[in-house]
Amino acid sequence: MVKELVRKHQDLEIYKMAFDTAMQIFELSKKFPVEERYSLTDQIRRSSRSVCANLAEAWRKRRYEAAFVAKLNDCESEAAETQTWIEFSVKCGYLNVEIGRELYGTYNQILSGLVNMINHSESWLMKH
């Protein structure tokens, strides 16, 4: 990921991608069956939103590399969890295969960006 004048977490391309995809999941999940409301629907919405929330928290923890990386690891876990819920959504017939592939691929890009940030965390830290 290219670091272009990032002043707040919302400026991060990876955040924008995660936020837009979480909103897309929200819209798509409105069509999930009512019996999934307290299971699959809640889980996929929660994990997709959690990627963004944890990224916001990570951004505020850039004073301390260990805390920053720990939060980025949480983002990574939530993104992988979202991919699992996407797989279930496709297998249960709630999401079209092509849409599922597109969403899964977007989360692969998000995961790649997170891993890159983790591997180069020192370049993201606040200067003391």
Side-chain angles (χ1 to χ4, degrees):
M1 300 238 108
V2 177
K3 264 192 348 182
E4 293 181 17
L5 212 57
V6 178
R7 297 185 193 281
K8 55 191 185 295
H9 66 273
Q10 293 100 327
D11 295 335
L12 294 165
E13 287 304 316
I14 192 169
Y15 177 87
K16 293 173 190 174
M17 187 183 308
F19 189 91
D20 290 345
T21 308
M23 290 306 300
Q24 185 180 2
I25 285 171
F26 172 72
E27 290 301 324
L28 290 165
S29 68
K30 286 180 179 179
K31 296 180 179 122
F32 287 7
V34 116
E35 65 265 18
E36 291 287 6
R37 180 178 295 140
Y38 300 111
S39 53
L40 182 63
T41 305
D42 282 349
Q43 291 298 322
I44 196 168
R45 287 177 180 178
R46 183 205 52 75
S47 65
S48 64
R49 291 170 177 168
S50 192
V51 175
C52 301
N54 281 302
L55 195 49
E57 286 185 55
W59 189 253
R60 299 307 302 173
K61 293 187 176 214
R62 291 174 300 127
R63 287 179 186 86
Y64 310 102
E65 187 171 16
F68 178 60
V69 169
K71 273 306 187 189
L72 291 176
N73 281 321
D74 290 344
C75 292
E76 189 179 0
S77 298
E78 295 291 344
E81 180 182 341
T82 303
Q83 286 183 313
T84 302
W85 296 125
I86 291 167
E87 285 182 90
F88 275 112
S89 299
V90 170
K91 286 290 186 186
C92 292
Y94 307 148
L95 280 182
N96 161 305
V97 173
E98 283 307 309
I99 291 173
R101 280 191 187 126
E102 180 186 314
L103 292 169
Y104 199 95
T106 302
Y107 276 98
N108 276 339
Q109 292 176 29
I110 291 166
L111 284 162
S112 176
L114 290 168
V115 168
N116 188 42
M117 286 179 79
I118 290 166
N119 289 341
H120 300 97
S121 57
E122 68 286 341
S123 68
W124 293 95
L125 297 178
M126 294 174 78
K127 307 296 180 228
H128 294 288

